[in-house]
Amino acid sequence: MTNRIFYTKPSITQLETDYAADAAATGWGARCYDYLNRFERDFKTYLGSGFAIATSSCTGAMHMGLAALDIGAGDEVILADTNWVATVSPIVHLGARPVFVDVRADTWCIDPEEVERHITPKTKAIIATHLYGNLCDMDALLEIGKRTGIPVIEDAAEAIGSVWHGRRAGSMGAFGTFSFHGTKTLTTGEGGMFVTNDAALYEKVLTLSNHGRARGQTKQFWPDAIGFKYKMSNIQAAIGCAQLERIEELVNRKREILASYMIRLSALPGISMNPEYTGTINGAWMPTAVFHPSTGITREMMQQTFETANIDARVFFYPLSCLSMFKDRPENVNAWSIPDRAINLPSYHDMSEADIDRVAATLLDLAAGRIYHNSTLRQSV
């Protein structure tokens, strides 16, 4: 049997190993935050943001950011129905109500018109999730935020390397959050980052991130608020520092893989992939194929075909509103339709051209068989 093609794995070199070993050997006592401070400093420089706080996860960064905005019981937060549960969990933990709105058919990201339609006096935040490296329409969302006074938050967990008209994803909203999970373009194993240009918000989140201990508090072990424990470790940050030194290489390779798939699948009718519009750069975290309903190709067909070919198949996110813990079932047509006919394609950095050929050929063979089947059916009617 051919070797299995995994959907993702990190790119780890000797540089990451050396930095992690150094942090483990020397990063204690007076040097316990050396790599952590360096990672935060270098990340905010890369992003073009004023402040950054390394966290144990993107979810933790989102939780603290929302808490710092005083979001709680009785409040509403608007977000795309197409999302991983990590984006909605902090909203629920804070006692607020998530309002799920539809996504655009082309970007699979939140639809600003739907956002506008769902704003109420209870709306306290809008979360813009840049899905799979695709970009939300930040001009439209920021205009809504400016006009209504509602903060726009960027969930850039999947969008490092993505750029909206000269501004990096995550750097435009009231705050942004990133994920450095082992599946991401830049990884620390587990981990995340909170970023903002708001000095007051930064100080509030910094306090929350360290058990509520304010930076200026002179009393030792004296908390000024009930906070969280969402700090990243120095060893994780060391890996992040190494990855950040290689960020252009890591993002460029992701973009190369997406481009390779697009070339190989370009002749396939009824398929769309991650878009990149004029003035934007798609960080291409997760190349994704979405078939038009007329093709008759379903998620289950693709899962079975890839499994037979010994290739990992990762499903497109289910709509959050379909989950049993939520009672609202909004008519979000795209968020409910797209996952039934979409699949995430393998895209780890050291994929060979032969690997990409094999994945694409598997999809092409499935589509060819399905198109032939549909054609035969039409002729027999």
Side-chain angles (χ1 to χ4, degrees):
M1 175 173 286
T2 54
N3 293 332
R4 189 167 188 83
I5 296 178
F6 298 101
Y7 79 86
T8 188
K9 52 186 175 180
S11 173
I12 302 297
T13 67
Q14 190 63 46
L15 185 65
E16 286 83 358
T17 302
D18 289 345
Y19 280 14
D22 181 57
T26 67
W28 311 101
R31 296 189 59 193
C32 66
Y33 295 137
D34 281 5
Y35 280 107
L36 192 61
N37 293 336
R38 174 179 165 183
F39 188 36
E40 291 173 341
R41 181 197 68 218
D42 292 352
F43 192 85
K44 71 180 181 181
T45 299
Y46 166 76
L47 201 68
S49 287
F51 307 95
I53 301 171
T55 60
S56 57
S57 67
C58 183
T59 310
M62 181 65 72
H63 194 175
M64 291 190 295
L66 293 176
L69 291 177
D70 298 321
I71 290 171
D75 295 334
E76 294 178 351
V77 177
I78 296 174
L79 71 161
D81 205 354
T82 299
N83 250 309
W84 175 228
V85 71
T87 307
V88 72
S89 295
I91 299 169
V92 177
H93 286 315
L94 290 168
R97 174 177 173 262
V99 177
F100 303 126
V101 303
D102 209 358
V103 295
R104 287 182 167 174
D106 56 345
T107 64
W108 325 319
C109 293
I110 195 165
D111 187 336
E113 292 183 5
E114 289 299 300
V115 169
E116 188 103 46
R117 197 166 68 84
H118 285 83
I119 290 174
T120 75
K122 295 182 179 180
T123 305
K124 293 299 185 291
I126 299 162
I127 298 178
T129 299
H130 302 299
L131 195 75
Y132 302 142
N134 301 353
L135 287 154
C136 299
D137 184 341
M138 290 306 297
D139 287 349
L141 292 171
L142 291 172
E143 191 280 327
I144 292 171
K146 182 179 180 180
R147 177 162 35 86
T148 61
I150 300 169
V152 176
I153 296 157
E154 288 182 87
D155 174 4
E158 304 171 357
I160 193 165
S162 295
V163 180
W164 176 265
H165 298 280
R167 303 176 70 185
R168 294 195 181 278
S171 70
M172 294 169 276
F175 69 84
T177 61
F178 289 84
S179 171
F180 306 133
H181 183 265
T183 61
K184 297 301 189 291
T185 301
L186 184 157
T187 187
T188 58
E190 286 282 0
M193 190 75 75
F194 170 92
V195 299
T196 187
N197 289 309
D198 185 328
L201 187 63
Y202 165 73
E203 290 294 341
K204 195 167 184 179
V205 173
L206 189 65
T207 297
L208 289 174
S209 72
N210 190 23
H211 293 297
R213 295 184 289 183
R215 180 164 56 164
Q217 178 55 253
T218 57
K219 288 184 180 180
Q220 194 174 30
F221 287 100
W222 184 268
D224 296 275
I226 296 295
F228 304 97
K229 182 60 172 177
Y230 283 141
K231 292 176 69 175
M232 177 183 284
S233 77
N234 199 48
I235 295 175
Q236 288 175 302
I239 298 172
C241 287
Q243 291 266 287
L244 197 53
E245 286 185 26
R246 301 175 53 223
I247 188 61
E248 297 302 333
E249 167 200 342
L250 295 173
V251 171
N252 287 341
R253 181 56 187 150
K254 282 285 190 175
R255 288 174 50 75
E256 287 173 358
I257 293 169
L258 172 59
S260 293
Y261 277 128
M262 285 183 162
I263 291 170
R264 288 161 172 79
L265 300 173
S266 60
L268 196 58
I271 190 175
S272 58
M273 296 191 70
N274 311 56
E276 183 174 85
Y277 294 116
T278 301
T280 70
I281 296 173
N282 193 316
W285 172 62
M286 187 65 68
T288 301
V290 178
F291 283 89
H292 191 273
S294 63
T295 64
I297 295 174
T298 67
R299 171 182 58 224
E300 288 72 23
M301 287 179 188
M302 288 185 278
Q303 284 182 282
Q304 181 57 56
T305 300
F306 278 134
E307 182 58 34
T308 301
N310 205 24
I311 298 170
D312 272 348
R314 174 182 149 134
V315 300
F316 195 99
F317 289 139
Y318 297 96
L320 293 174
S321 62
C322 82
L323 301 177
S324 60
M325 62 283 287
F326 300 113
K327 294 181 180 179
D328 291 342
R329 295 291 183 270
E331 294 184 9
N332 293 329
V333 176
N334 292 325
W336 279 72
S337 169
I338 292 171
D340 290 339
R341 46 192 172 82
I343 206 78
N344 297 147
L345 304 179
S347 61
Y348 54 91
H349 292 89
D350 59 351
M351 282 187 79
S352 66
E353 290 301 308
D355 291 334
I356 298 172
D357 280 339
R358 189 171 132 205
V359 175
T362 301
L363 205 55
L364 287 165
D365 288 346
L366 169 63
R370 186 64 190 174
I371 292 168
Y372 174 79
H373 176 72
N374 288 347
S375 175
T376 302
L377 284 177
R378 284 194 296 270
Q379 292 174 13
S380 65
V381 172

